[in-house]
Amino acid sequence: MKLLQLFLTMLVIALADSNRCQFGELLYKGYPFTPFPLKRTIVFETPFEEKPAFMYAIKMLDLNYAENTRAAVELKNLTNQEFTLEMKTVHDTQMYGMGVTWMACPSV
């Protein structure tokens, strides 16, 4: 009986794991080089049952003070298993680093 309880407990934990939010951070520091635009694909730790709700925000910028500050992040691909973000600059901006935080949650 205790073995059955243990199995059912593990099953509930595994099911709950695929229905929780996942979050993380992309961070690139490359001074004195400017490698942007830069695409990164992240695979979710546990795949979602369907395409998740997704949000992201710029956390950090490392820029040359002599040019205008123009940077962008774009979600290029989102599936239940992975996503791709593109970090880029605009026009003459010299960017040496960027940090992006992200969170994906099961769709309601």
Side-chain angles (χ1 to χ4, degrees), residues 19-89:
N19 287 318
R20 66 177 176 83
C21 292
Q22 297 180 45
F23 58 93
E25 179 177 298
L26 290 171
L27 183 61
Y28 182 84
K29 295 179 183 178
Y31 182 82
F33 305 104
T34 59
F36 300 93
L38 191 63
K39 283 186 187 177
R40 290 290 182 256
T41 298
I42 304 297
V43 177
F44 293 121
E45 189 176 303
T46 303
F48 290 93
E49 291 177 10
E50 57 187 45
K51 186 173 167 180
F54 191 83
M55 65 179 285
Y56 58 92
I58 295 174
K59 179 179 180 177
M60 181 277 298
L61 294 172
D62 181 9
L63 300 155
N64 185 331
Y65 70 90
E67 281 92 22
N68 291 318
T69 300
R70 294 177 289 219
V73 177
E74 188 176 342
L75 180 63
K76 291 292 196 179
N77 179 43
L78 175 63
T79 69
N80 67 321
Q81 296 183 9
E82 66 184 20
F83 67 93
T84 302
L85 285 178
E86 181 177 24
M87 302 177 281
K88 56 189 172 182
T89 61

Side-chain angles (χ1 to χ4, degrees), residues 83-103:
F83 67 93
T84 302
L85 285 178
E86 181 177 24
M87 302 177 281
K88 56 189 172 182
T89 61
V90 182
H91 301 294
D92 67 344
T93 300
Q94 293 290 313
M95 184 164 62
Y96 306 112
M98 179 185 263
V100 177
T101 58
W102 60 267
M103 183 167 67

